[in-house]
Amino acid sequence: LHRNDPERIHRLLLYFADKRTSIGVERCLATMASLNLPSKTVAHWAFEALCQHLYPSGGHAHDFVFRCFDLIDQIGGTLDPTILGTLADVIAQAGWAEESEPWAPYVDRLFEIRQKLSRGKLGLENGGINTNALGHSLAEGKQHAVLDILEKALDEGASAVELSRALNIAWAIRLARFSLVNETDWGQVFHGVIAADSIDQALRRFGCSPGLLASIFDSAVELYLTQSLNIPRVRLPDKDRPRDLPVNDPDLLIREMADGLELRQPDRAGACVAHFLWRDYDADALLSSMIAAMFREDGDFHTFQTMRACIN
């Protein structure tokens, strides 16, 4: 057997990732780059190595891996050993959710789901699932119910992208329902939103794999674990009650939205956005104005990541 046989390097990558050996992971990735393997194949193997364990590094690792391959595509699509090497610590030194106490009730079942996904046929085609309804069910699901909901949808023919879309809707609901009195817990929510978006973007870019599909189930558990952060639950805008908003003038609505952000009135700003979209005004103009308003503030990279995830 040739020492640089791709399947052998693939197996070694899984081994070194599981043993938390960064130098081994780095050399495997560098070798894959030198073999001129397709970017899609290496991306799937990198996610497979990462997803041997549960929700690594609280979802950060999913984002780093996807962004690495996204960067490679943006600069020409050629796998580069130096760029891939930056993933070594991300994959090998990731914290594993199975080692944290809140995840203890889910560990056995999530690994059982991984076994099932590795043996079964993956959902590839759209199954006609109502992703909006599924997303709302996930947002309100209790404990193991979030996993029951996903498994049932998968058994009924839902595709991986449909499950991922529903998951992202659920995380958007968690974000929208977040109360300002929980300000110190904000990070747990936006990290979940960013990770769910990265999983979704990876599925759309590279196609389905057991590792990426398993990540949807992991993210659903994290979604449940953040449910308490929606207490008290923020009331969403009411389509039939515009209050004093200038709903018949899209330009004024945009200005009101920007002023609401400036004056730290997120509920009013959100209501402006909702009524703007309900009236089918120009969504691109709204997004441009939201991004411009964001740059009026002293935002950090998490703000930009969350904005990008929600736009996606």
Side-chain angles (χ1 to χ4, degrees):
L1 182 67
H2 193 276
R3 287 181 59 80
N4 283 347
D5 173 67
E7 282 299 331
R8 177 175 178 270
I9 304 302
H10 174 206
R11 291 193 298 273
L12 283 172
L13 175 65
L14 297 178
Y15 173 82
F16 287 127
D18 184 58
K19 299 304 180 185
R20 288 176 158 159
T21 307
S22 295
I23 187 64
V25 171
E26 183 175 4
R27 290 185 177 186
C28 287
L29 291 171
T31 304
M32 289 175 182
S34 69
L35 293 174
N36 294 317
L37 295 172
S39 177
K40 177 179 177 179
T41 299
V42 180
H44 276 311
W45 287 353
F47 274 110
E48 185 182 357
L50 183 70
C51 299
Q52 294 178 99
H53 296 276
L54 308 183
Y55 208 57
S57 295
H60 283 91
H62 292 90
D63 189 54
F64 286 135
V65 171
F66 173 70
R67 297 301 158 196
C68 178
F69 285 95
D70 184 44
L71 174 65
I72 289 170
D73 281 352
Q74 289 186 49
I75 62 178
T78 301
L79 294 178
D80 180 88
T82 303
I83 297 175
L84 285 181
T86 64
L87 294 179
D89 282 345
V90 171
I91 293 173
Q93 302 302 319
W96 300 337
E98 62 261 36
E99 297 174 334
S100 68
E101 186 177 347
W103 283 71
Y106 308 95
V107 171
D108 289 344
R109 184 167 180 192
L110 285 170
F111 279 116
E112 287 171 5
I113 289 171
R114 274 166 166 72
Q115 289 294 320
K116 177 181 175 181
L117 296 177
S118 67
R119 295 191 303 266
K121 180 181 177 181
L122 301 179
L124 299 175
E125 303 296 331
N126 288 342
I129 299 296
N130 185 331
T131 53
N132 191 49
L134 186 61
H136 280 77
S137 296
L138 288 171
E140 303 298 332
K142 306 296 183 184
Q143 275 196 321
H144 288 276
V146 291
L147 300 178
D148 295 337
I149 291 166
L150 287 174
E151 283 203 280
K152 184 173 184 289
L154 194 61
D155 290 342
E156 291 176 352
S159 70
V161 170
E162 285 176 323
L163 294 185
S164 180
R165 178 172 173 78
L167 175 72
N168 276 269
I169 289 171
W171 273 110
I173 293 169
R174 183 72 76 247
L175 189 66
R177 294 283 195 185
F178 191 89
S179 171
L180 293 183
V181 300
N182 291 333
E183 191 168 355
T184 56
D185 301 310
W186 177 247
Q188 195 173 356
V189 175
F190 65 60
H191 286 147
V193 170
I194 293 164
D197 174 60
S198 298
I199 295 166
D200 188 64
Q201 295 300 310
L203 278 166
R204 294 171 188 275
R205 178 77 61 85
F206 307 120
C208 188
S209 70
L212 284 173
L213 192 50
S215 298
I216 296 174
F217 286 84
D218 292 355
S219 182
V221 170
E222 178 71 1
L223 178 73
Y224 168 71
L225 294 175
T226 61
Q227 195 174 86
S228 62
L229 301 182
N230 283 165
I231 302 172
R233 188 165 70 169
V234 170
R235 294 184 63 181
L236 299 183
D238 187 336
K239 186 175 183 179
D240 299 321
R241 299 182 64 186
R243 298 183 297 177
D244 59 339
L245 298 178
V247 294
N248 296 318
D249 188 328
D251 293 332
L252 271 180
L253 261 183
I254 283 178
R255 271 184 247 156
E256 285 281 337
M257 178 271 297
D259 289 343
L261 294 177
E262 185 80 18
L263 298 171
R264 299 292 192 270
Q265 297 173 340
D267 293 345
R268 183 172 180 83
C272 290
V273 171
H275 285 283
F276 190 100
L277 293 173
W278 279 326
R279 281 158 180 77
D280 291 324
Y281 296 141
D282 184 0
D284 287 341
L286 174 66
L287 290 176
S288 295
S289 299
M290 291 174 69
I291 292 169
M294 180 178 68
F295 280 108
R296 289 164 62 179
E297 304 298 327
D298 185 20
D300 61 14
F301 76 97
H302 283 120
T303 305
F304 305 140
Q305 285 180 302
T306 305
M307 187 72 159
R308 177 181 58 198
C310 291
I311 290 173
N312 286 338

